[in-house]
Every structure is written in structure tokens, then in C-alpha cells.
Amino acid sequence: MDSLAIFFICLLSLSSAKASSNIGVNYGVLGNNLPSPYRSIELLTTMKAGLVKIYDANPDILRLLSTTKLKVSIMIPNNEISCIAANQTIADEWVKNNILPYYPKTLIRYLLVGNEVLSYNTEQAHKMWHDLVPAMRSIRRALKSQNIRDIKIGTPLAMDVLQTSFPSSSGTFRPDVRDSVIAPMLKFLDRTNSFFFIDVYPYFPWSQDPNNINLDYALFRGNFTTIDPGSGLIYRNLLDQMLDSIIFAMSKLGYSNIPLIISETGWPNSGDIEELGANTYNAAIYNRNLIQRMTTKPTIGTPARPRVPIPTFIFSLFNENQKPGPGTERHWGLLHTDGTPIYELDLTGKKTLTHSAPLQTPKKIV
């Protein structure tokens, strides 16, 4: 059997990690007009979200989540990574203070160490790169010392962790992190049956190159296909292409079976006047089609990994008016701050697209 055939057999193998196809929501709090945590969690429950991801270990939120069946992802802030990596006692204390008071009543399932750590490029950030995997190991030891074995440890990365991503089969990690950070991270994730968490937004590559990337391709509308010249795989949407570039990059380092979790994805519902395609219509189309794809039975998967589920967290619950940056940064929400939906969305995927509320087509979709 030639090496290419062996490669594809590995890509199609199911991982031993168990993944739920439930749709989750990112619950960020960078706003001065947001509902209370009690009301926010009430809304998440009403929306029938399966999972929720928060960006810290907020005690009020974790206490409130104990009254729900939501599976929870919590996070260690970036600025705590180096201390945890340097001192096992600090890691032990973090677990004692931020997990033991709530677990197992609160269904904590994922513990994320940092957020998009490898996207920062300062001298301080480079130290954080070096400390990231040691911190993950320290937290793992702290959990094991408490006999906690059902919380998976990971770290969400952005697509800029790749040096090349198109076509998907050319996917490779950046040389500045590939051997020093990514390789030991993949070894850790593989050994602990955890997941590669990726923040993946088709909006960004499309908006940066709308003349060469078809909008329908970014919105899952199935009117455009492309064939990867390296693998021969056929792609019908941009998200699959982006996800498979990560899968190919991992495979080139010898890890073909580590499953993915989409830790963030979505589409902005508004933005600055020069930000193309940021409107409620496109946001609704993207997220409705995303949910349909991720909840379809049998599971669809991606061209490189058909039939393998990918748990998915949509960004985000609310528009957050204190986020810095261009206008789109403050307009990813599913709900207005009064709790009403910005557009109708069925997180369970049970409502077919034809039965969803009709959308008013904007004067300018792009």
C-alpha cells in the first residue's frame, strides 16, 4: 500500500475521544449593557443550547450553570499561563479554587488554557508560547490529583497558526511554533484523548478577497465547488476547506486522529461601512446553514474526515459593545441585550431552513 493511501486511511479513522454534535454558544461579557448572568443562562437554556463556553471561571456563572444540563467550557486567562507552568502548586490551587467548588454539579467538560495564545507576537507573548504546553501538563496533573478524569484540556488557536492553508492539502503550521509548541501540544492532546480547538471564521478570508472567494461558498449555499489539486477532495464550502487545512497540517506532524472542536465561528450581523458583508441577512444564513450541517444525521464531517462529528461553539451570545477594534468586533451576537433574537435561529437543527422565519434581503448583501 502506498504512502498516500495509508495517509487517507489515517485521516478517515475515528478518534477514541467522544464528541457530541450539540451546538454550543460562546458567552462573552465585554459589554456594559448585558443582561445579568442569571438572565443570560436562562436565555441559553431557552435557546436549547447544548454547550456554553466562557472566557474565565466566573464563580457566579459557574454556580448558576449547576442548575442546568449545559456542558461547560471554562478558560484560564493568558496572563496566568506562565505562573501555572512554573509552579505545580499554583496549578493545584487553580483547580481547587475554580473547579472543585462547582464540579461535578456544574457539567464542566473542557478546560482551555489561554485564548489564541499563538496569535500574539511580543517578547512577553513568546514566553507564553514556551509556557503553554507545560501549563497544560501542570493542569492535567492537578486534575488527576483530584481524581478528575472527564475534563478535557486544550487551548483554542486561530487560523493564523498555519503558514499555508490553501489548498487544504498544503496546510502546514508556522515554522516559528511548529516544532517548539505545536508538536508537543499534539503529543499531549493525542495522549490525553483531547481535542484540537480552533477558532475558524470563513467571514475573514471571504471579506479580504471577495473577488476570488464566492459568497455562496462562504455561506454554505452549495452553488460553488472546488477540487483540491493535492488530495483530489471536493469542497463545497469554505469552512470545510479551512478545517481540513488544520487536519492536513496535523497529519504532517504524525497526528492524523486528533479530533477537532470549533471553539469559535460565526458571522457578524453589522460592522463599519467599509466592512463587506457584515449584516443580519448573511449572519442568519451562515449560522442557520452551519447548524443544519453540524446536526445532520448521519454526521457529515469534512471531506478529509467524513462522518466524524465536530462539536461547535457559535460566537457569540450577545453583541459586546466594549470589544476593541473595527465595528464587526462588536456585532457577532445572536441576541439583542434585551434578550430578543437578532434573527431566528434554532440551535437544535430540528427546524428546517424552509420553516425558518423569512429574512429581509438587505439592499447590499455584500
Side-chain angles (χ1 to χ4, degrees), residues 132-306:
L132 179 58
V133 178
M136 294 168 74
R137 295 190 191 117
S138 294
I139 288 294
R140 165 82 170 166
R141 286 191 291 268
L143 289 174
K144 286 183 70 175
S145 72
Q146 299 293 337
N147 202 29
I148 298 173
R149 301 182 185 275
D150 60 350
I151 297 177
K152 296 298 182 183
I153 299 167
T155 186
L157 300 176
M159 288 297 296
D160 63 6
V161 73
L162 295 181
Q163 181 182 29
T164 56
S165 60
F166 180 82
S168 300
S169 60
S170 72
T172 52
F173 291 110
R174 291 180 356 227
D176 59 337
V177 295
R178 182 183 57 229
D179 298 327
S180 59
V181 183
I182 296 297
M185 179 189 300
L186 294 179
K187 182 178 180 179
F188 173 86
L189 298 177
D190 185 60
R191 183 170 57 85
T192 60
N193 289 323
S194 192
F195 299 82
F196 190 102
F197 290 79
I198 184 69
D199 295 350
V200 53
Y201 290 97
Y203 171 75
F204 290 120
W206 170 79
S207 64
Q208 291 160 12
D209 193 11
N211 292 326
N212 291 310
I213 300 177
N214 189 289
L215 179 60
D216 284 345
Y217 190 62
L219 295 176
F220 305 96
R221 289 205 281 205
N223 299 323
F224 184 87
T225 61
T226 183
I227 299 176
D228 187 308
S231 66
L233 295 173
I234 299 173
Y235 288 90
R236 293 180 171 83
N237 66 78
L238 184 54
L239 180 70
D240 280 355
Q241 201 169 26
M242 296 170 76
L243 293 173
D244 277 357
S245 66
I246 294 287
I247 291 170
F248 276 97
M250 289 195 292
S251 297
K252 287 169 185 170
L253 292 181
Y255 296 93
S256 300
N257 295 331
I258 296 174
L260 300 178
I261 285 182
I262 298 176
S263 39
E264 289 183 14
T265 191
W267 196 281
N269 57 61
S270 186
D272 297 330
I273 192 168
E274 69 274 11
E275 293 185 286
L276 299 178
N279 56 60
T280 299
Y281 181 85
N282 287 342
I285 293 295
Y286 177 85
N287 282 325
R288 286 177 181 180
N289 285 331
L290 170 77
I291 292 167
Q292 283 288 308
R293 184 169 184 82
M294 294 303 181
T295 59
T296 293
K297 300 295 183 185
T299 301
I300 297 173
T302 72
R305 280 189 186 163

Side-chain angles (χ1 to χ4, degrees), residues 334-356:
L334 303 179
L335 303 179
H336 295 290
T337 54
D338 65 0
T340 58
I342 295 174
Y343 47 85
E344 183 188 28
L345 195 66
D346 174 24
L347 294 180
T348 69
K350 293 178 180 178
K351 181 177 288 190
T352 63
L353 297 177
T354 55
H355 288 91
S356 296

Side-chain angles (χ1 to χ4, degrees), residues 77-89:
N78 289 357
N79 61 7
E80 297 183 33
I81 289 173
S82 292
C83 290
I84 287 172
N87 191 322
Q88 184 62 48
T89 300

